[in-house]
Amino acid sequence: MTAAVLALAASGLSLVFGVMRVVNVAHGAFYMLGAVLAWAVASFVPGPPALAFIAALILAPLLVGALAAATDGLVLKRLNYDPEATIVATIGLLYMIEQAILSLYGPNANPVQAPFEWRIQLPWFGYSGYKLFVILAACAVLLALWTFLTRTKAGLVMRATQVDSTTARAFGINTDRVYMGTFALGAGLAALAGVLIVPIQQAHYLMGGDPLLLSFIVVIIGGLGSLRGTLIAALVIGLSDGVISMFFTPTLAKILATLLVAMVLVFRPQGLFGARA
Amino acid sequence: MTGAGLKIWTLHLALIAVLFSAQYWLSPYHATNLARIMVLAVFAMGYNLAFGYTGLLSLGHALLLAAGMYAAGLPAQLWGWSAGPAMIAGIAGGGLIAAVLGLLALRTAGVSFMIVTLMFAQAGYLTLLYFAPVTGGDDGFAVAATSRTLLGFDLSTDAPRFLAALTIFAVGLGVSLALVRSPFGRTMVAIRENEERSRMLGYNPFTVKLAALTISGLYAGAAGAAYAILFGYVGASFATIQYSILPMLYVLMGGAGTTLGPFLGALVMFVLIEAATGITTAHQFIVGAALVALILFAPKGILGTVRERWLRWLP
């Protein structure tokens, strides 16, 4: 369950870093925006919860993606995608989004009703049907993403830009549009993860912090920019999260996790699964 | 001393003289704020030595600030140390943690360096929370009045506090100016501009960067310790990511790689937020917008631009 949503959020971060070499610190904020937008849509769209939820699933990633595309055009592009400058800029963006949501939405956490409620009753334990749906949905999206990257023309163009943007431009690829699309897609994936999680966790303006950290961990362990590594790492970390928290307190688990990531970056910068730096 | 040197030292001494006189013409409220700005400026000056002069963009300086704060505050709390030894312990604590951080993090560069420093700082913050019974966690603890006296002066009262802050600021500014005008300071800039070439000229970039980061840590430690002693509060909230971003913002605003930039940046941001408080409570938004605007339109900051356009001799 955690692994599925984590993989979705982390794949967005990984994609953006892989193609654009931009570390998006505002990724957690996009995730949070997705969740808050889901709440907004659910509150304003009348009708059954399922209908509102479907509307949120479509609208939230689109809106967040549009915001990301605007950010790319207005800010990141003008910085020439300089890695250090973009980190500073996305930190600024993170502050602005968080404050805007705090001012407009308030400091409270608000629940969103799940689109359907039934439990799978197994003899030894019950399992929420919605959680199962989240896992399936996340897998479907990731599979679609994988197909998109490896089987379509747009995916090919994206990968070409990742490998060598100068040559790609020489072959008539509009790399500016590729970057904009990638950033929007990455943000959209984070927002989608936010929408999916919100019926389980409530929407709150600071909810982006933990997923951001976990996404970082996943992307770094999996090897920066390697999507396959990211997926494997998300699975491993999502599953081990539960195991670790059985042995340690949450704070200690987080300390160990952050130190581990830092050490991986220091001693094995290509990640545990990545082939190259 | 050459003409330019004389001009530079005169300018810096004039600033300190103006700040000294400020306690007589500012209201106590504003004087206290100015003392706070000076302490934060010391922190930013340390950050500037690492980022502005050596090109080390760290996102983990909150760790060093907190190291100084707790190295000064904990002995004061637990064993009743007085202000002098606590201050020295704070400076040493900041430097020590910076050296350890550097030994590990300086194996990486660029974006990895930023993430590694961020992660270590986050781990440090969480560690402070984990040991909340001793550190007070996010709530922190108040430093006892007995630990806030130096040579018979009560540093919790306005005038001694202002003078203490000014002294620390003046020493920090003087050391920083002397440092960047020394051969070592020029080596730092050389490594920022072209690490490969400095290596070829026979400098060891790792040692220089480690030294720069450690000095930066001494500054951060001094600022943390000064904050604990002068304002009587120690808390884990000073180890959060916000306090890694703030010195970066100050330095970017005032001008990276200028000796007076950190103070100017701290002053401008403080005034900006103070002025905006009347209109809105959205401090964070201002900080975020300032970051984006600076990196977009004025990456050199105020003094960096002034130096480029008019005053070439500005250090």
Side-chain angles (χ1 to χ4, degrees), chain A residues 64 90 126-127 155 179 181 186 203 228 244 252 259 265 268 274:
Chain A
V64 174
T90 51
Y127 197 76
Y179 282 155
R228 190 174 40 189
I244 291 174
L252 190 58
L259 283 180
L265 263 180
R268 211 181 140 76

Side-chain angles (χ1 to χ4, degrees), chain A residues 127-138:
Chain A
Y127 197 76
S128 154
Y130 179 72
K131 288 189 177 178
L132 195 69
F133 163 74
V134 169
I135 294 173
L136 291 177

